[in-house]
Amino acid sequence: MNVLNFFGRRKSAPVARERLQILLAHERSAIGSRPDLLNILREEILAVVGKHVAVDSERVHVKMNRGPAVSTLEIDIEIPNVARAKIAVNM
Amino acid sequence: MNVLNFFGRRKSAPVARERLQILLAHERSAIGSRPDLLNILREEILAVVGKHVAVDSERVHVKMNRGPAVSTLEIDIEIPNVARAKIAVNM
């Protein structure tokens, strides 16, 4: 199965865009598991990504789903060209 | 679609286990995108998770796939009961 289908998006143009998609799924048990774990991880994971790629907040889409047993968090980041220039400089 | 199917695993027993699954997909463009981005993010994301949940390295499964245009990284973490005790203490 193509991972991009999972995010329910059509594949972007082959060359033009660079994209990073992150999906977290937290399957909780009844005892003591932390319902807000994904919320906590979200900011810190975005901070980790931001250390390596210039993230434009307007090109970051976050979707959170909280079910009775499983919560999911989808983060979709389009990496702007300037980021790639930044990567080229750091190499 | 149930996210756990995506990870190609049967759903674990409803109550017993708690599990965190993380999927990263890096859709690269031809110009300047960084082929090792997922490898770099892997360690730092595991470190972020480890700050909030006791991670037992024997219960962490990592799978990396590198395609011509898309690389994927799957991290599957079973959260041991002791972790939940830790969460309970921190609450």
Side-chain angles (χ1 to χ4, degrees):
Chain A
M1 187 191 120
N2 180 326
V3 66
L4 299 178
N5 300 349
F6 182 79
F7 287 96
R9 289 187 43 273
R10 49 153 194 73
K11 214 160 162 300
S12 54
V15 175
R17 262 187 291 215
E18 184 181 353
R19 185 177 297 279
L20 180 65
Q21 294 167 300
I22 303 170
L23 170 66
L24 290 95
H26 180 208
E27 185 185 341
R28 296 188 304 279
S29 69
I31 326 140
S33 60
R34 202 169 175 169
D36 60 345
L37 182 59
L38 292 191
N39 244 341
I40 293 167
L41 295 178
R42 178 173 82 173
E43 296 313 319
E44 297 192 28
I45 287 176
L46 279 172
V48 163
V49 172
K51 274 170 36 184
H52 300 283
V53 166
V55 174
D56 171 356
S57 56
E58 278 168 33
R59 296 174 188 236
V60 177
H61 303 286
V62 178
K63 209 169 100 183
M64 182 92 168
N65 276 305
R66 188 173 295 183
V70 179
S71 296
T72 60
L73 172 67
E74 292 174 39
I75 304 172
D76 187 333
I77 304 169
E78 188 188 316
I79 302 170
N81 292 340
V82 62
R84 276 173 261 142
K86 174 176 172 182
I87 290 172
V89 166
N90 292 349
M91 290 177 86
Chain B
M1 183 187 121
N2 181 326
V3 66
L4 299 175
N5 299 349
F6 181 79
F7 287 95
R9 287 184 42 267
R10 51 156 194 70
K11 210 162 169 299
S12 55
V15 174
R17 264 185 292 213
E18 186 182 353
R19 183 178 297 280
L20 181 65
Q21 295 166 300
I22 303 169
L23 169 66
L24 291 95
H26 180 207
E27 183 187 341
R28 297 188 303 280
S29 68
I31 325 142
S33 60
R34 203 167 171 171
D36 59 346
L37 182 61
L38 292 191
N39 244 340
I40 292 167
L41 295 178
R42 179 172 87 175
E43 295 314 318
E44 297 193 28
I45 286 177
L46 279 171
V48 162
V49 172
K51 273 171 36 184
H52 299 283
V53 166
V55 173
D56 171 356
S57 55
E58 280 168 24
R59 296 174 188 233
V60 177
H61 303 286
V62 178
K63 209 169 99 182
M64 182 91 168
N65 277 306
R66 188 172 293 182
V70 179
S71 295
T72 60
L73 172 67
E74 291 175 41
I75 304 172
D76 187 334
I77 304 169
E78 189 187 317
I79 301 170
N81 291 340
V82 61
R84 275 174 258 145
K86 174 176 170 183
I87 290 171
V89 167
N90 293 347
M91 293 176 88

